[in-house]
Amino acid sequence: MRDEQGISRKHFGRMVVIGAIASALGIALGLLIEWFPTQGSDVAAPIDTFWDILVIVSVPIFVLVMTIVLYSVWRFRMRPGEELSDGPPIHGNTRLEVIWTAIPAIILVGLCSYAYVVLRDIETADAGEQMKVRVVGEQFTWTFYYEGQDGKEVVSNQLYLPKGQDTRFAVQSKDVLHDFWVPAFRQKIDAVPGITTSFRLTPIKEGVFPVLCAELCGLGHSVMRQSAHVVPRAEFDKWLADKQAGGQAGGSGAGSTADTEPKDGKALFNEVEPKCASCHTLSDAGSDATIGPNLDESLKGKDAAYIEKSIKDPEAEIADGFQGGIMPPNYGQTLKPEEIKALTDYLVEVATK
Ligand code: CUA
């Protein structure tokens, strides 16, 4: 008996040493990896710190379990001649069971409390007057609504935000579950039909950041991508005023400046959001996507009226072999009339002959 205890201690000691070294390496690696994109909002820093704490706590648990499993598989493996032998019977160990229930429970309660505090601090941070943006998800696009002058709503298919402006997003869905996510901002939240969900943050870095849908919502989920433009205050004000003045203005500008000169159709094909090129093959524009009809083939012999109708009301006629409800139905609202005309003219020129 004495002997066996001595042997167990020896194995236990080895596992602790191996586990400690592996944990240290695992934590170092976990903290060195750049998990997230640039910190684009004020909430990114506390969330990234929280992530680092999660890595520090969870890596040793994973390493401990793997060390015991791998060490046992190697050290206590069956050797020739032991095929019929069995290990000693074990009928439970109360002390061990209390320990392995209590420790994970304490760790979980601790992490949940910390997560709650981080989220509460983020939600209640007061950064002055708040701007509201209504974000509406639908298969398969986001539409952004701003409060313009005279209480009129301004609609855009690209997200423009002034740097340093505390912003609350009110997130809604027209059809199924989506999830509004700008990875550079970190915060994300489900868009749930029938209710409005929300979060706040302040963009702190100028630039263009991807807007994603983070909830599998149907065939077009992967192309439900747009752009968030964080620009200086003055530029944002000008953009919003231009938008409002232009009525149903569209945000096709690739850069952060409000676009003044008209775009050519080919550029629009690759730049309007969500991008035509993400779903359609069109050799002239260099796209080869297959989610929607191949325009090199499906537009042969069609005219401008057909193309314009298909852009504004994609459900009017569904190409053979494709299913309705995938192309965003709001290009008619988010693109300017001259942009729709430019796109139509371009497609007539390159795809109908
Ligand atoms: Cu919307 Cu995925």
Side-chain angles (χ1 to χ4, degrees), residues 122-125 130-135 161 165-171 197-201:
I122 284 173
E123 262 304 296
T124 54
Q130 207 161 48
M131 178 174 92
K132 248 201 168 149
V133 180
R134 194 159 67 89
V135 180
L161 297 168
Q165 169 66 57
D166 190 13
T167 307
R168 178 160 290 279
F169 298 93
V171 182
T197 52
S198 92
F199 62 73
R200 68 145 293 279
L201 53 80

Side-chain angles (χ1 to χ4, degrees), residues 47-117:
I47 289 179
D48 290 1
T49 306
F50 178 52
W51 172 264
D52 286 345
I53 302 283
L54 282 181
V55 166
I56 291 168
V57 175
S58 56
V59 164
I61 296 172
F62 174 76
V63 168
L64 175 78
V65 172
M66 292 317 288
T67 303
I68 292 174
V69 168
L70 294 176
Y71 187 90
S72 303
V73 164
W74 167 71
R75 188 64 190 78
F76 306 118
R77 67 190 183 279
M78 189 186 69
R79 292 173 171 79
E82 293 179 343
E83 286 85 352
L84 296 176
S85 61
D86 201 356
I90 295 173
H91 292 289
N93 182 326
T94 309
R95 188 163 53 153
L96 196 58
E97 283 171 26
V98 168
I99 291 173
W100 79 37
T101 307
I103 291 179
I106 291 167
I107 292 175
L108 271 180
V109 169
L111 288 177
C112 288
S113 308
Y114 178 32
Y116 171 80
V117 170

